[in-house]
Amino acid sequence: MPTAIEAGLYVLVLGSIVGLEVIRRVPALLHTPLMALTNAIAGISLVGSLLLAGSDRGSLITTLGAVAVAASSINVVGGFMITNRMLRMFRPSKAGAHAARKAETDA
């Protein structure tokens, strides 16, 4: 029977391998929805780290919780910035939209 640390490491390694294989096989068209889902998962980890940082379980746990809050916050904000940037790539530019409207009125 494995100890709790061995079981946790096993889950971490297995999850990392499966996650890497899943992400590598995602077509480029689906990256934006996948990023949105990843941001939601990161938000859940942010809530968990806030609960851990706010619990009164000792100074080490509170410190680790605060570090987790910082890391999760950076992950969530960065994820939303990247998702927003990717979504802007699919919007038509203002110059292109103006030229298209002008071509429609000229025709």
Side-chain angles (χ1 to χ4, degrees):
M1 186 88 172
T3 64
I5 292 176
E6 290 172 342
L9 286 174
Y10 178 73
V11 169
L12 176 69
V13 170
L14 186 63
S16 298
I17 292 170
V18 169
L20 179 66
E21 290 301 315
V22 168
I23 295 298
R24 269 202 304 179
R25 288 174 169 52
V26 172
L29 184 62
L30 296 177
H31 276 271
T32 302
L34 185 63
M35 282 295 298
L37 179 64
T38 307
N39 289 339
I41 293 170
I44 293 170
S45 68
L46 177 60
V47 170
S49 60
L50 282 169
L51 290 173
L52 186 63
S55 68
D56 190 20
R57 297 184 184 186
S59 61
L60 177 64
I61 301 297
T62 303
T63 304
L64 290 175
V67 170
V69 167
S72 295
S73 298
I74 291 169
N75 191 17
V76 168
V77 170
F80 279 118
M81 289 173 61
I82 290 171
T83 301
N84 188 30
R85 182 177 174 196
M86 290 175 73
L87 288 173
R88 278 189 288 152
M89 290 179 3
F90 294 107
R91 292 186 191 141
S93 65
K94 290 183 180 181
H98 178 69
R101 269 185 258 132
K102 184 176 180 183
E104 287 175 0
T105 57
D106 289 345

